[in-house]
Amino acid sequence: SSSSSSSSSSSSPSPSSSSSDDNDSDETVRPQARDDANTDPDARDVGLIVDGVDASSPSTLHGDYAAQQASIDALMRDDLGLDVASIRSLLDTDPVVREQERLVAMEARNAAGLQVDARLAAEAGEIAQQYSGIEAEADATLQEEQAAAVAELEAMSAAVLAAEANMKSIQEERAQLAAEAAGKGGDTAAAAAPSKWGSSVAADVDETAERIESAKAGTAAAASGTLLSLPLLLSQSSGNLVTMQSVAGVAISCVLFGVTYRYALRDDFGNDHLKGGVVGAFGLARGLGAADVFLHGSDQNDFASWAQAALLTGESVLTFAFAALALEVGFRRGYLKSFPMRRALPKE
């Protein structure tokens, strides 16, 4: 009976030995787990727990784990009467237990790898989602900036077009002002230039009409003056040639007198001093010249010679006075036109 129990105890492990072997196996697993946790980052991430202790925590592996294991061993030895050292020795030498430990470690690594892969996939998904959101936000921001840039460009283009139109209008106004200034300058220069007729006469004198009226005035003065002086000339002349010369001289002098009288008098018909001055100037100039010639050819000591000279002077003044009277009649009756003759305005 004792031999059978001993054989039985030797052939089959006792509960105490089994417990000891389990403890040894646990002790073996724990160092192996510690090694795996220290060498395999995936196992550390998974957080391998052995006997309620977190094997992935470095502080637990180095401090708390040893103290807890010692207290567990003391509890099993004192309360349960198990030989923890025998159990560990059995577990260390049992190949089945070692294989199981290897399989457990492998499964732990695989589980840790799966968890790591799942976590990496989840993080990759989050990163992709964040990237998609950032990309969408960047696209929206880019589109808004492009729209703002296009709007700003259109506004600038409109401003440039408006500025060009304004510059064009300013240039046109400047050209118009320059043209007006040039026209006014030309008018001013023309007005400032000395006029043919003087400053008291407008520049719109009709010169063609003036020539016609001057010819009419000269003809009227010549006809009247010659008719008055013709009897006197015939009575004083000794020959036909001399008479014709004298008549021609009177006619030419009266023509010049008629033209000058019209331009000197203008429309100042009530100015008798001006009329007398023109008549006296022509009459005395011609008469005194004839008297001087007569005195040089006669006896200057003879009174009759001086009387004849005075008669020649009076005859000349009377001739031009009669010519002026004929012109006055022509002006009053409208046969002659006073100076100046204005150009007729064009009919619209």
Side-chain angles (χ1 to χ4, degrees):
S1 151
S2 62
S3 62
S4 62
S5 67
S6 63
S7 62
S8 171
S9 62
S10 63
S11 61
S12 62
S14 64
S16 62
S17 65
S18 176
S19 298
S20 178
D21 294 337
D22 291 337
N23 291 332
D24 293 338
S25 177
D26 291 339
E27 185 65 23
T28 304
V29 172
R30 289 188 186 97
Q32 183 69 30
R34 287 197 300 271
D35 295 338
D36 294 337
N38 291 328
T39 58
D40 191 357
D42 295 338
R44 288 197 302 271
D45 292 337
V46 173
L48 183 61
I49 304 298
V50 179
D51 290 340
V53 180
D54 187 0
S56 64
S57 176
S59 62
T60 302
L61 291 175
H62 291 86
D64 295 341
Y65 177 77
Q68 292 177 2
Q69 187 63 41
S71 63
I72 291 171
D73 291 344
L75 180 61
M76 293 175 65
R77 182 175 59 253
D78 295 337
D79 296 342
L80 301 178
L82 299 177
D83 188 0
V84 178
S86 299
I87 295 172
R88 287 180 178 175
S89 177
L90 179 62
L91 291 175
D92 290 337
T93 57
D94 191 354
V96 176
V97 174
R98 298 294 297 174
E99 182 65 22
Q100 289 179 356
E101 289 179 356
R102 188 183 67 78
L103 293 176
V104 169
M106 186 180 296
E107 290 178 358
R109 284 194 296 271
N110 292 335
L114 292 175
Q115 291 181 359
V116 170
D117 292 340
R119 184 174 295 178
L120 291 176
E123 291 179 355
E126 291 178 358
I127 293 173
Q129 185 176 1
Q130 292 177 359
Y131 178 77
S132 299
I134 294 173
E135 186 177 6
E137 184 178 358
D139 291 340
T141 304
L142 181 60
Q143 290 178 359
E144 291 178 358
E145 292 179 354
Q146 288 178 351
V150 170
E152 184 178 0
L153 181 60
E154 291 178 354
M156 293 177 64
S157 300
V160 170
L161 293 176
E164 289 179 353
N166 190 16
M167 288 295 296
K168 185 176 181 181
S169 63
I170 291 174
Q171 290 178 356
E172 291 177 355
E173 291 179 359
R174 184 179 296 177
Q176 184 177 1
L177 291 175
E180 292 178 358
K184 291 181 179 179
D187 295 340
T188 304
S195 176
K196 176 181 178 180
W197 309 106
S199 60
S200 61
V201 180
D204 58 343
V205 176
D206 191 350
E207 295 187 3
T208 302
E210 286 296 326
R211 293 188 185 96
I212 294 173
E213 294 299 325
S214 297
K216 289 166 62 177
T219 302
S224 59
T226 301
L227 288 176
L228 175 65
S229 63
L230 186 58
L232 299 174
L233 293 174
L234 291 175
S235 63
Q236 295 174 1
S237 298
S238 60
N240 293 331
L241 183 59
V242 176
T243 303
M244 293 298 297
Q245 181 182 358
S246 299
V247 171
V250 171
I252 293 172
S253 299
C254 289
V255 169
L256 294 176
F257 171 78
V259 174
T260 305
Y261 186 85
R262 176 177 176 273
Y263 281 113
L265 187 61
R266 298 186 180 185
D267 56 353
D268 194 6
F269 298 110
N271 194 345
D272 295 333
H273 295 285
L274 180 60
K275 295 177 183 178
V278 176
V279 172
F282 273 84
L284 292 175
R286 187 177 184 277
L288 292 175
D292 184 64
V293 171
F294 177 78
L295 289 174
H296 280 83
S298 62
D299 186 7
Q300 298 181 0
N301 296 323
D302 188 5
F303 180 76
S305 298
W306 288 97
Q308 185 65 30
L311 181 61
L312 292 173
T313 303
E315 177 187 350
S316 178
V317 172
L318 185 61
T319 299
F320 289 112
F322 191 75
L325 180 61
L327 293 175
E328 288 292 329
V329 172
F331 287 137
R332 288 191 180 95
R333 295 187 178 183
Y335 300 133
L336 300 176
K337 304 294 182 182
S338 63
F339 175 80
M341 295 292 295
R342 303 291 179 86
R343 283 192 292 266
L345 295 176
K347 296 181 180 181
E348 295 181 357

